[in-house]
């Protein structure tokens, strides 16, 4: 028997074509049958994909609408707070988790930004080098927020000591621009259940 | 009859490709996410325990601010060995479906002792005992949350274990079906489709991998903690590499088998003539 091994190119091409046919059918099934499900699950996974904060973001303020046109990334520094009366200058970060508060003053993310005409809430630890000295603030002392998009001046109106769970002491409103600075109270050892608050209003709004 | 045979070959060939494709996916999951030793090895190679240790210490230091105490009260509270031991217990409980309980008793005991020493050294009298107890509870809570990944995984453990139980069964059934259908194709329908099956499965894997992985923003995944996210990213990238390796092997094997089958076809034809 004459055994001749010769390559059958046609058969090879047929096999490859059948492979691609199977893959095409597979792609159609996935695309028309499972695409919505896949997109949903991939979307869910991507909700936990957070882009690295853009520290170079330029903040712009719309003075007509009295709103920022873009907001700083969570955890990024966007201003400095300066209080001459107590010789305080500290960085202000967007957000107020423990990590942020270890670096400076935290801006409560549920409050307005300086210049937007509403309540701005800033928190700081009562340690030396943080907000310990705000306990010395008095009426008419000046507080300056020097933000990347502008400088805003406030005058202290009053101070108060409230329970940590008293949310009414932190009214979120936009009738007039109010700055609330707060820290744990009293100084001492352990967990503090009270908060020392400083209420200040935008300079020029005091007599309204 | 010929037409029926052709259609049957086509259907069986397609089904075998899908079975092989599915088998690869399930096997890769079985060897990675569903393999406790794989996960533990990845934790070692990613320095996971060191990262968790650093995160715990950092969070405890942050919670110290405003407490009136300094960092000396944290000395010796948490060691890398303790983190490693607790993390291995957590991983073990996930794979057995049992509830994980962090060992906070010895942690609390040490913290109390450290604080007492600190107060005695500084000669500080604490009048408000409750505020100190609340502070201690808060620090213990920080430790417990970091070690147990904030309890996020607890909700998914039972589902994870359930899927794992079905995984082995699915792999066995799919392998048996694949073998049966290949034998039917080869001896019943007289068609050597092994090359086609491997090549199609390889191409399907290529499409699947590209489709899914192009859409998932793996490098920016951030969930629970930085250390966990880094581990998760590493595992997902490793799975991606495994897919890539397997699909290339399959496509190569498919091409070689198709070539072999093309030669074999010609040899059969020559036999007939003599």
């Amino acid at each position: 028997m004459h055994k001749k091994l010769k390559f059958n190119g046609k058969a090879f091409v047929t096999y490859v074509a059948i492979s691609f046919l199977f893959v095409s059918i597979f792609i159609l099934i996935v695309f028309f049958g499972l695409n919505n499900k896949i997109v949903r699950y991939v979307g869910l996974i991507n909700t936990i994909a957070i882009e690295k904060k853009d520290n170079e973001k330029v903040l712009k303020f719309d003075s007509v609408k009295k709103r920022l046109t873009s907001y700083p990334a969570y955890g990024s520094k966007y201003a400095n707070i300066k209080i001459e009366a107590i010789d305080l200058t500290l960085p202000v970060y967007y957000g107020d988790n423990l990590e942020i508060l270890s670096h400076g003053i935290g801006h409560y993310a549920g409050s307005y930004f300086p210049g937007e005409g509403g309540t701005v809430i800033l928190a700081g630890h009562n340690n030396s080098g943080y907000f310990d000295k705000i306990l010395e603030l008095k009426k008419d002392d000046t507080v300056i927020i020097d933000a990347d998009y502008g400088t805003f001046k406030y005058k202290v109106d009053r101070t108060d000591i409230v329970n940590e769970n008293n949310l009414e002491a932190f009214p979120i409103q936009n009738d007039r621009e109010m700055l609330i600075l707060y820290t744990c109270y009293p100084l001492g050892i352990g967990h503090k259940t009270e908060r020392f608050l400083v209420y200040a209003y935008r300079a020029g709004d005091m007599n309204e | 009859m010929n037409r029926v045979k052709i259609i049957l070959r086509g259907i069986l060939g397609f089904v075998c490709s899908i079975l092989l494709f599915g088998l690869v996916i399930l096997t890769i999951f079985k060897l990675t996410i569903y393999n406790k030793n794989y996960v533990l090895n990845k934790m070692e190679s990613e320095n996971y325990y060191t990262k968790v240790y650093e995160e715990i210490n950092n969070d405890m230091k942050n919670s110290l601010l405003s407490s009136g105490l300094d960092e000396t009260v944290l000395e010796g509270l948490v060691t890398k060995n303790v983190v490693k031991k607790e993390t291995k217990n957590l991983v073990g409980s996930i794979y057995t479906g049992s509830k994980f309980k962090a060992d906070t008793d010895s942690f609390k005991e040490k913290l109390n002792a450290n604080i007492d020493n600190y107060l005695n050294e500084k000669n500080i009298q604490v009048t408000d005992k409750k505020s100190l107890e609340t502070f201690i509870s808060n620090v213990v809570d920080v430790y417990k949350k970091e070690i147990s990944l904030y309890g996020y995984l607890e909700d998914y453990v039972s589902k994870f274990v359930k899927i794992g139980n079905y995984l082995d069964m699915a792999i066995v059934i799919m392998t048996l079906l694949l073998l049966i259908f290949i034998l039917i194709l080869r001896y019943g329908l007289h068609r050597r489709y092994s090359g086609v099956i491997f090549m199609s499965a390889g191409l399907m894997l290529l499409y699947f991998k590209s489709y899914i992985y192009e859409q998932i923003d793996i490098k920016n995944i951030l969930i629970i903690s930085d250390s966990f996210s880094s581990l998760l990213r590493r595992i997902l990238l490793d799975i991606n590499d495994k897919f890539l390796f397997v699909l290339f092997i399959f496509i190569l094997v498919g091409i070689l088998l198709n070539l072999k089958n093309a030669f074999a076809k010609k040899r059969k034809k020559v036999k007939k003539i003599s």
Side-chain angles (χ1 to χ4, degrees):
Chain A
M1 184 165 48
H2 175 64
K3 282 183 188 175
K4 194 179 179 183
L5 271 176
K6 209 175 176 187
F7 178 67
N8 185 342
K10 196 178 168 186
F12 177 74
V13 170
T14 308
Y15 287 139
V16 173
I18 294 170
S19 305
F20 277 96
L21 175 66
F22 285 169
V23 176
S24 307
I25 296 169
F26 171 77
I27 291 171
L28 285 169
I29 292 171
V30 166
F31 194 76
F32 287 108
L34 302 171
N35 190 49
N36 288 341
K37 262 192 180 163
I38 292 174
V39 165
R40 199 174 78 215
Y41 287 122
V42 167
L44 273 171
I45 294 171
N46 280 340
T47 56
I48 59 167
I50 299 167
E51 278 187 50
K52 301 280 179 283
K53 54 188 178 205
D54 181 4
N55 289 324
E56 302 300 320
K57 214 179 199 179
V58 175
L59 299 181
K60 284 184 187 156
F61 187 74
D62 184 333
S63 51
V64 171
K65 288 182 185 170
K66 282 195 173 181
R67 285 287 179 276
L68 280 169
T69 53
S70 67
Y71 289 93
Y74 193 87
S76 66
K77 174 178 168 291
Y78 79 89
N80 284 312
I81 180 170
K82 296 173 187 172
I83 310 176
E84 212 180 287
I86 53 174
D87 193 26
L88 179 145
T89 302
L90 286 168
V92 179
Y93 296 86
Y94 184 43
D96 58 359
N97 62 31
L98 283 179
E99 177 65 35
I100 288 169
L101 292 177
S102 70
H103 296 295
I105 304 308
H107 171 136
Y108 169 55
S111 64
Y112 288 88
F113 276 81
E116 288 188 328
T119 308
V120 182
I121 300 176
L122 302 182
H125 284 304
N126 64 8
N127 299 60
S128 170
Y130 291 86
F131 260 4
D132 56 321
K133 288 188 184 170
I134 67 166
L135 276 64
E136 297 166 24
L137 285 174
K138 295 183 294 295
K139 189 174 165 61
D140 291 337
D141 282 340
T142 302
V143 178
I144 294 174
I145 306 287
D146 190 11
D148 292 346
Y149 56 90
T151 300
F152 305 90
K153 199 171 168 186
Y154 303 84
K155 289 274 185 190
V156 173
D157 180 52
R158 69 188 192 283
T159 63
D160 200 357
I161 296 168
V162 302
N163 183 276
E164 64 177 337
N165 297 317
N166 182 356
L167 297 177
E168 283 170 23
F170 301 87
I172 305 293
Q173 51 77 45
N174 59 2
D175 294 328
R176 59 190 295 196
E177 187 153 332
M178 174 167 63
L179 174 67
I180 302 176
L181 310 177
Y182 78 94
T183 189
C184 294
Y185 185 84
L187 304 179
I189 304 289
H191 173 81
K192 314 302 185 315
T193 57
E194 290 178 313
R195 301 289 177 263
F196 183 89
L197 274 65
V198 175
Y199 294 90
Y201 293 97
R202 187 82 181 271
D205 290 353
M206 294 287 288
N207 298 322
E208 284 177 22
Chain B
M1 189 59 191
N2 262 344
R3 207 169 278 177
V4 172
K5 261 191 172 177
I6 290 169
I7 291 168
L8 265 173
R9 279 177 199 153
I11 292 170
L12 273 179
F14 179 72
V15 168
C16 285
S17 307
I18 297 281
L19 281 172
L20 187 58
F21 161 79
L23 206 50
V24 167
I25 292 177
L26 293 184
T27 308
I28 286 177
F29 279 137
K30 175 82 189 151
L31 294 173
T32 54
I33 298 170
Y34 278 94
N35 183 339
K36 182 175 130 182
N37 290 331
Y38 168 85
V39 171
L40 290 174
N41 286 339
K42 275 281 169 270
M43 283 178 166
E44 281 282 359
S45 61
E46 281 297 301
N47 288 324
Y48 179 74
Y49 308 118
T50 307
K51 288 178 187 171
V52 171
Y53 167 76
E54 284 167 4
E55 278 172 1
I56 291 174
N57 275 313
N58 195 47
D59 281 357
M60 289 198 303
K61 278 178 197 168
N62 288 341
S63 62
L64 261 188
L65 293 167
S66 283
S67 70
L69 299 164
D70 71 23
E71 285 175 20
T72 52
V73 304
L74 301 177
E75 273 170 23
L77 278 186
V78 180
T79 62
K80 283 184 195 174
N81 283 338
V82 165
V83 170
K84 192 170 181 173
K85 185 181 142 224
E86 290 279 67
T87 305
K88 283 186 171 180
N89 288 342
L90 171 69
V91 170
S93 72
I94 288 171
Y95 283 91
T96 55
S98 54
K99 202 166 168 66
F100 170 74
K101 194 175 177 292
D103 176 19
T104 54
D105 292 337
S106 52
F107 177 89
K108 197 171 178 179
E109 218 177 280
K110 275 185 218 164
L111 179 59
N112 268 312
N114 286 355
I115 290 174
D116 285 340
N117 285 339
Y118 174 82
L119 295 174
N120 287 333
E121 268 173 38
K122 302 284 178 185
N123 205 21
I124 298 171
Q125 293 292 328
V126 175
T127 49
D128 187 358
K129 296 275 182 201
K130 196 174 174 210
S131 75
L132 188 59
E133 280 164 16
T134 309
F135 165 74
I136 291 169
S137 289
N138 288 347
V139 177
V140 170
D141 216 35
V142 163
Y143 170 74
K144 198 166 84 172
K145 280 180 178 171
E146 283 283 352
I147 276 288
S148 62
L149 298 175
Y150 290 81
Y152 277 123
L153 299 181
E154 267 180 37
D155 295 337
Y156 300 101
V157 166
S158 59
K159 272 187 206 162
F160 181 79
V161 169
K162 205 174 172 184
I163 292 170
N165 292 337
Y166 290 134
L167 203 60
D168 288 332
M169 206 167 29
I171 288 172
V172 169
I173 291 172
M174 283 170 88
T175 309
L176 282 171
L177 281 173
L178 184 61
L179 286 170
I180 291 167
F181 290 153
I182 286 176
L183 287 170
I184 293 173
L185 270 169
R186 175 71 181 89
Y187 297 107
L189 296 171
H190 304 291
R191 183 58 77 220
R192 286 188 171 93
Y193 259 18
S194 48
V196 169
I197 291 165
F198 271 96
M199 195 167 176
S200 329
L203 290 169
M204 286 175 190
L205 281 170
L206 177 63
Y207 171 72
F208 176 77
K209 182 206 95 64
S210 307
Y211 183 68
I212 300 286
Y213 273 79
E214 287 311 303
Q215 294 190 55
I216 298 177
D217 190 8
I218 293 179
K219 64 176 178 2
N220 285 324
I221 281 178
L222 187 64
I223 185 170
I224 302 174
S225 64
D226 281 340
S227 52
F228 182 78
S229 304
S230 161
L231 178 69
L232 184 61
R233 286 193 292 265
R234 184 65 255 153
I235 289 175
L236 287 174
L237 289 171
D238 195 43
I239 290 175
N240 182 52
D241 291 342
K242 284 176 168 44
F243 272 133
L244 209 57
F245 176 74
V246 171
L247 74 91
F248 275 127
I249 296 289
F250 273 24
I251 291 172
L252 189 64
V253 166
I255 291 171
L256 291 172
L257 283 172
N258 282 336
L259 282 169
K260 177 191 165 281
N261 292 338
F263 272 112
K265 218 175 147 60
K266 191 65 180 176
R267 184 167 51 177
K268 223 181 173 180
K269 227 180 173 176
V270 171
K271 234 179 164 179
K272 261 190 181 174
I273 291 166
S274 27

